[in-house]
Amino acid sequence: MAVADDPQGAEQTWSVQDVWWSWVLTGNSLPGLCWGPWDQGQPEVLPKPSIQADPGTMVAQGSPVTTWCQGSLMVDVYHLYKEKGSIYWEAKTPQGSRNKAKFYFASSSSSDARQYQCAYQSRNGWSVQSDPLPLVLTGMHRKPSLSACPGASVPQGENVTLQCRSEVQSDTFHLCKEGSLAAPQHLRLQDPAPPVQANFTLRAVTSAHSGTYSCYSSQSTAPHLLSLPSDPLELLFLGSSWGLRTPPTCGSSTSAE
């Protein structure tokens, strides 16, 4: 681990096309009258790198995680930055892979739960930094419970409320669906005093809502540190309506639509 300033900007380079466009756009009628490309203009812009985490951005406390940074071809070195570039790690490009590098964390701890960005250096200078990648750590306190109201078997078109309840101080709840590409749902409560419950309402249920759900709790003051996951809840789609039956009602409390 080292502390350093952000990498310096790329050196200016010019091509034959740059020279031609400078001559055309300035209106010169004879070649050789415009020498601008050698003393002014914009440097070459390197492609923004991409960043991802394996096995994912949500990691259990103490588990390993690998962060990959991918840039353009012919990269010399990569930097991984934590929280706006104040701390970085350096990795040389491995042989046989000129466009990506990995940063391995053998055992994730609370100090690793932050946002990360990466950048790379080539012969043309430094790239811009990648989009931020949040690394979230789970298992920091007791798991909440997850239940379905009025029940986990839901007729087509009806509503169901998934209730995430925590016995420890929490003001933020997260609902995840196993295998879903969509981002987790989040709900912030005003009063964190336990016991506290968040209601996630799924409206007009279809077969797309079927699946396995779990929830987490956290504190807004430490958004990257989550509880253990709740026990999984299997939501079943019945494919028929309630008919003449009156479905049970759920108690009122803060909910997410």
Side-chain angles (χ1 to χ4, degrees):
M1 183 180 296
V3 178
D5 295 328
D6 287 343
Q8 299 298 316
E11 296 179 358
Q12 295 185 356
T13 58
W14 301 98
S15 65
V16 174
Q17 289 83 357
D18 295 326
V19 177
W20 167 253
W21 276 111
S22 182
W23 173 64
V24 170
L25 296 176
T26 53
N28 293 310
S29 58
L30 293 175
L33 294 182
C34 178
W35 299 98
W38 281 276
D39 57 16
Q40 63 181 1
Q42 298 297 319
E44 177 184 351
V45 178
L46 296 171
K48 179 190 290 188
S50 62
I51 186 171
Q52 62 182 26
D54 182 24
T57 58
M58 189 175 289
V59 184
Q61 183 182 20
S63 297
V65 61
T66 300
T67 301
W68 289 93
C69 185
Q70 182 166 354
S72 62
L73 295 175
M74 306 304 292
V75 173
D76 297 322
V77 67
Y78 287 87
H79 280 183
L80 179 68
Y81 297 89
K82 184 200 298 190
E83 292 293 357
K84 302 179 181 179
S86 58
I87 299 175
Y88 75 81
W89 294 263
E90 183 174 290
K92 301 292 185 181
T93 305
Q95 290 184 353
S97 177
R98 299 295 292 169
N99 68 337
K100 64 180 179 180
K102 70 177 181 179
F103 299 85
Y104 180 72
F105 297 84
S107 180
S108 302
S109 66
S110 59
S111 62
D112 299 321
R114 296 290 188 275
Q115 286 203 123
Y116 291 84
Q117 292 175 280
C118 71
Y120 63 89
Q121 183 185 41
S122 72
R123 60 184 177 84
N124 295 318
W126 280 96
S127 72
V128 297
Q129 292 189 5
S130 66
D131 293 332
L133 176 78
L135 192 62
V136 176
L137 200 66
T138 66
M140 302 308 296
H141 54 83
R142 294 203 309 269
K143 65 183 179 182
S145 63
L146 182 63
S147 59
C149 184
S153 298
V154 188
Q156 180 177 358
E158 299 293 337
N159 301 337
V160 63
T161 299
L162 302 185
Q163 301 174 324
C164 188
R165 179 183 176 89
S166 176
E167 300 297 331
V168 299
Q169 183 166 309
S170 308
D171 64 2
T172 309
F173 290 82
H174 317 268
L175 180 68
C176 304
K177 183 182 179 184
E178 184 178 303
S180 175
L181 297 178
Q185 294 187 49
H186 307 284
L187 183 59
R188 175 83 178 272
L189 305 182
Q190 294 295 324
D191 184 6
V196 60
Q197 176 178 298
N199 290 347
F200 296 88
T201 300
L202 308 181
R203 298 193 175 277
V205 167
T206 68
S207 58
H209 292 96
S210 296
T212 303
Y213 291 81
S214 59
C215 72
Y216 300 80
S217 63
S218 67
Q219 283 279 12
S220 57
T221 53
H224 295 93
L225 302 178
L226 274 58
S227 69
L228 288 164
S230 68
D231 291 334
L233 173 70
E234 185 76 18
L235 193 67
L236 301 177
F237 173 69
L238 294 181
S240 60
S241 66
W242 288 107
L244 298 178
R245 293 179 298 148
T246 301
T249 58
C250 300
S252 60
S253 61
T254 305
S255 63
E257 302 298 327

